[in-house]
Amino acid sequence: EGVYRRSVEEPEAFWEEVALELEWFSPWDQVFQWDYPNFKWFLNGKCNITYNALDRHLNGVRKNKAALIWLGEDGSERVFTYARLAQQVNRLANGLKSLGVGKGDRVVIYMPLTPEGAMAMLACARIGAVHSVVYAGFSVGSLRSRILDAQAKVLITADAGYRRGKRIDLKGIADEAVAGLDVVEKVVVWRREETKPPLGEREVDFDELVEAGDINCEAEVMDSEDPLYVLYTSGTTGKPKGVVHVHGGYMVGTYYHMKNFWDVKDTDVFWCMSDIGWVVGHSYIVYAPLVAGATTVFREGAVDYPDPGAFYD
C-alpha cells in the first residue's frame, strides 16, 4: 500500500528510482514532461534497451544463464544463454549494417515465433533501426500495407512457419507482398528447411548474414524518446494504425512490471503465451524478461497440439 501511494503521490520520484536500477549512457535532465496530449519520459537521457537486455548481464553470473528456451511443436528445443544470444544479436546487427541499415531506418519483421524472430528485433534495436513486426498469420495485403506505411528499407522473413503440424508458406506471402515495391531494398530470408529455396536478386540468407557478422557491435546511443518499434493495430475497426514505443520509458515501465507484478526472480522460468507479432510478445517474450535477467520459455505453434496435454507438459 505504501509503494502504491508513493507511485501516485510522487510519480516522478518513484519512476526515477526505477530508472536508476538500469544502466544509462548519460542521465536525463528532467524525469517527465506532459504537454497535453504529448508526454515524454527521462528527457535527454541516453540509453539503448538492448544494452540493458544483454550487455549488463554479461559481466556477472547471468552470462551463462539461459535467456531463451525455445520449443517447437515437434518437440525440438533450443537454449540460448545471455552470452550466446548477445553474440548472435551482434552478428545480425552487423549484418544489417552491411546492408545499409542504420539509425532511424525501418525494418519489417515477418517471422515465425522462433529465436531468430526475437534476434531480428534485438538486432534492429541494437543499431537504432525501428522494427515493425507483422504477425506471421497475416495476409499478403496486411503485410504489404504495413511495409508501405512504415516505408521499410528491409524485410526480414522466413521460408516457413509451423502451426498444428501444417506448413505456412511465409516466403510465398512475403514475395507477393514486396512485388513491385521499390522502397524495400533487401529481403533477408531465414531458410530453416532442408530444401533451401533459391534467393532472388535482392534477397540475402539470414544464417549467412549472421555467420559473416562480427560478435562485437556497440549499442547505438539512443535518446530516451527515440523510437524503438512501430506496431500496427489489427485493422479490424479501420485502417491499421502504427503505435510507436520508445527506448527509455518503455524499457523502465515494462522492466518494473516484469519484476514486481509477476515477482519473477533469478531462479524462475517465465512463460508468455503471446507471439512476437503482438505487443504482449514484444514486451513479455523479448524485452522485459531480458532486461530483468529472467529465463523465458516460448513455443512455436498451437499450445494444444499435438494434444491438449502439450500445454501442461
Side-chain angles (χ1 to χ4, degrees):
E1 283 298 314
V3 172
Y4 169 71
R5 277 198 308 275
R6 183 156 185 272
S7 74
V8 174
E9 293 166 4
E10 301 176 61
E12 292 186 26
F14 176 86
W15 286 110
E16 185 167 40
E17 284 180 13
V18 177
L20 287 170
E21 294 178 19
L22 302 174
E23 295 189 22
W24 297 74
F25 301 135
S26 60
W28 46 90
D29 302 327
Q30 185 179 338
V31 175
F32 182 60
Q33 181 185 84
W34 192 12
D35 181 16
Y36 187 84
N38 302 307
F39 62 87
K40 295 180 179 181
W41 283 96
F42 312 112
L43 281 74
N44 299 318
K46 307 302 179 191
C47 64
N48 186 304
I49 196 169
T50 69
Y51 190 90
N52 281 285
L54 299 170
D55 303 59
R56 80 185 189 101
H57 305 308
L58 300 182
N59 293 322
V61 293
R62 289 175 180 158
K63 178 179 180 179
N64 296 314
K65 175 183 175 177
L68 301 177
I69 301 172
W70 177 82
L71 308 169
E73 278 191 337
D74 62 357
S76 57
E77 180 176 320
R78 286 191 285 159
V79 179
F80 290 81
T81 63
Y82 274 92
R84 185 181 173 210
L85 180 62
Q87 287 187 350
Q88 296 297 92
V89 167
N90 284 345
R91 282 177 155 161
L92 180 55
N94 283 320
L96 292 174
K97 279 185 177 181
S98 74
L99 301 181
V101 179
K103 188 174 182 176
D105 288 330
R106 273 80 64 204
V107 176
V108 165
I109 298 170
Y110 186 63
M111 291 281 275
L113 183 56
T114 58
E116 286 70 18
M119 285 174 200
M121 296 166 66
L122 292 160
C124 289
R126 188 79 177 169
I127 60 175
V130 182
H131 65 69
S132 182
V133 180
V134 178
Y135 175 57
F138 277 178
S139 65
V140 171
S142 297
L143 176 57
R144 187 180 180 91
S145 69
R146 287 160 173 77
I147 291 170
L148 279 170
D149 193 76
Q151 288 292 288
K153 191 173 187 176
V154 168
L155 170 65
I156 303 176
T157 189
D159 49 9
Y162 298 99
R163 186 171 180 83
R164 299 193 186 283
K166 295 178 181 177
R167 180 185 186 276
I168 301 161
D169 183 16
L170 299 180
K171 178 65 164 53
I173 294 168
D175 286 346
E176 283 190 61
V178 300
L181 292 189
D182 294 334
V183 66
V184 178
E185 297 175 9
K186 295 290 182 182
V187 178
V188 180
V189 185
W190 178 43
R191 297 186 291 179
R192 68 193 296 193
E193 297 182 308
E194 286 186 25
T195 303
K196 310 291 184 190
L199 296 174
E201 189 176 328
R202 58 177 168 177
E203 295 177 348
V204 179
D205 182 84
F206 182 101
D207 289 330
E208 289 176 9
L209 197 64
V210 171
E211 286 165 15
D214 191 274
I215 61 169
N216 298 303
C217 178
E218 291 294 319
E220 186 74 28
V221 176
M222 307 297 289
D223 187 86
S224 176
E225 284 290 319
D226 278 339
L228 168 63
Y229 67 83
V230 178
L231 187 62
Y232 287 84
T233 56
S234 64
T236 51
T237 57
K239 183 183 176 182
K241 301 159 193 70
V243 181
V244 179
H245 291 266
V246 300
H247 276 255
Y250 175 80
M251 171 178 73
V252 174
T254 53
Y255 160 74
Y256 181 82
H257 297 161
M258 185 76 200
K259 243 186 31 159
N260 295 281
F261 288 16
W262 293 310
D263 193 30
V264 175
K265 299 288 195 297
D266 260 341
T267 52
D268 293 330
V269 176
F270 181 76
W271 183 19
C272 175
M273 286 175 50
S274 185
D275 187 282
I276 57 170
W278 311 121
V279 70
V280 173
H282 280 58
S283 299
Y284 302 113
I285 292 176
V286 182
Y287 287 114
L290 294 176
V291 172
T295 296
T296 304
V297 169
F298 62 118
R299 183 181 187 270
E300 181 184 18
V303 292
D304 60 350
Y305 184 89
D307 58 69
F311 174 99
Y312 299 96
D313 292 339

